[in-house]
């Protein structure tokens, strides 16, 4: 009611990786705890690759703002492999975004490119039908990795500090240009199951640093200690 910003007297982290990251920024994290996150849940699918009759690679795109969509469009226009009929680019509707421009751009992309479509349903259902997931600033990409699909980090925004991802880029494919993205799609589509398993192990290790499993007992202990 005073209009002043109230500073927290304690920090809790959604993943272990943020402890070192916050320490690097000068925060005293000696008394802080990792609460984890419900997004740290790990799902499993029957197979690493979805079984389907048609020979196509399905790329699930989890973006959440208009600027990312505009850059993605420029990538698709500049790289013929991203317009290939054997590649299905599926734009996941971002339910938290009611931005009319964002919704309009997704429709324009699906109208402009034959291999681009808009999908809804739950994230788990979308991920289960995909071969890989492209993400930038949204946590849906990390969740998709936890569900069991390889992620491609797309540098589609200059508004995001990569923080704990920055020092771990080698653990998953990263696309900084349209060519990078097309190269990674080619690599993943031809990757052996053995190499795909190894990639997923690395990616899930990093995903666990971003979203550790929810530590309910730690949360309860910290909350009750503040009540007393």
């Amino acid at each position: 009611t005073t209009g002043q910003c109230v500073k927290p007297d304690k920090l809790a982290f959604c993943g272990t990786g943020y402890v070192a990251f916050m320490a690097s920024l000068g925060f005293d994290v000696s008394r802080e705890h990792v609460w984890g996150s419900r997004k740290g849940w790990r799902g499993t699918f029957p197979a690493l690759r979805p079984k389907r009759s048609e020979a196509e690679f399905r790329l699930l795109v989890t973006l959440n703002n208009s600027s990312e969509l505009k850059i993605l469009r420029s990538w698709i226009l500049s790289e013929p492999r991203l317009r290939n009929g054997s590649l299905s680019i599926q734009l996941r509707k971002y339910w938290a975004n009611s931005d009319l421009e964002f919704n309009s751009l997704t429709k324009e992309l699906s109208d402009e490119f034959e291999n681009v479509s808009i999908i809804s349903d739950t994230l788990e259902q979308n991920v289960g039908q995909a071969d890989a997931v492209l993400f930038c600033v949204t946590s849906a990409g990390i969740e998709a990795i936890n569900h069991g699909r390889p992620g491609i980090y797309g540098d589609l925004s200059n508004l995001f500090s990569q923080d704990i991802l920055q020092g771990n880029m080698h653990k998953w494919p990263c696309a900084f240009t349209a060519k990078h993205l097309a190269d990674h799609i080619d690599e993943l589509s031809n990757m052996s199951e053995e190499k795909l398993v190894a990639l997923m192990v690395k990616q899930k290790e990093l995903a666990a640093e971003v979203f550790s499993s929810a530590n309910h007992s730690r949360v309860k202990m910290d909350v009750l200690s503040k009540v007393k």
Side-chain angles (χ1 to χ4, degrees), residues 86-103:
S86 62
L87 171 64
S88 173
I89 299 177
Q90 301 181 330
L91 302 177
R92 173 173 163 77
K93 179 177 174 58
Y94 185 63
W95 296 100
N97 194 336
S98 59
D99 180 11
L100 294 178
E101 183 183 21
F102 181 87
N103 294 328

Side-chain angles (χ1 to χ4, degrees), residues 3-4 20 22 56 63 99 112 179 187 207:
Q4 297 179 343
M22 295 300 287
E56 68 174 8
L63 304 180
D99 180 11
E112 184 174 6
K179 181 181 182 303
E187 181 183 13

Side-chain angles (χ1 to χ4, degrees), residues 159-228:
L159 304 175
F160 182 53
S161 171
Q162 295 167 348
D163 51 73
I164 68 169
L165 301 181
Q166 195 167 29
N168 294 275
M169 289 299 188
H170 64 283
K171 292 188 177 179
W172 50 37
C174 298
F176 299 99
T177 65
K179 181 181 182 303
H180 285 160
L181 178 57
D183 286 346
H184 288 316
I185 291 172
D186 288 344
E187 181 183 13
L188 288 171
S189 62
N190 295 301
M191 187 174 286
S192 68
E193 186 163 324
E194 182 181 2
K195 288 186 177 181
L196 189 58
V197 168
L199 174 64
M200 288 308 307
V201 169
K202 287 183 178 181
Q203 291 200 350
K204 285 194 173 187
E205 286 176 355
L206 180 54
E209 295 178 26
V210 181
F211 293 125
S212 301
S213 298
N215 189 339
H216 298 289
S217 60
R218 180 77 262 176
V219 174
K220 183 177 180 181
M221 186 182 303
D222 287 349
V223 171
L224 289 179
S225 68
K226 299 299 293 184
V227 174
K228 294 180 181 179

Side-chain angles (χ1 to χ4, degrees), residues 3 30 42 46 48 57 72 75 77 97 130 167-168 181 185 204:
S30 58
R42 296 190 177 192
L48 285 171
F57 187 96
L72 177 63
W75 282 13
L77 283 171
N97 194 336
N168 294 275
L181 178 57
I185 291 172
K204 285 194 173 187

Side-chain angles (χ1 to χ4, degrees), residues 48-50 52 56-59 127 129-133 149-150:
L48 285 171
R49 287 190 171 95
R52 60 176 73 99
E56 68 174 8
F57 187 96
R58 292 186 184 180
L59 180 69
V127 173
Q129 295 301 313
D131 292 287
V133 179
R149 291 290 183 262

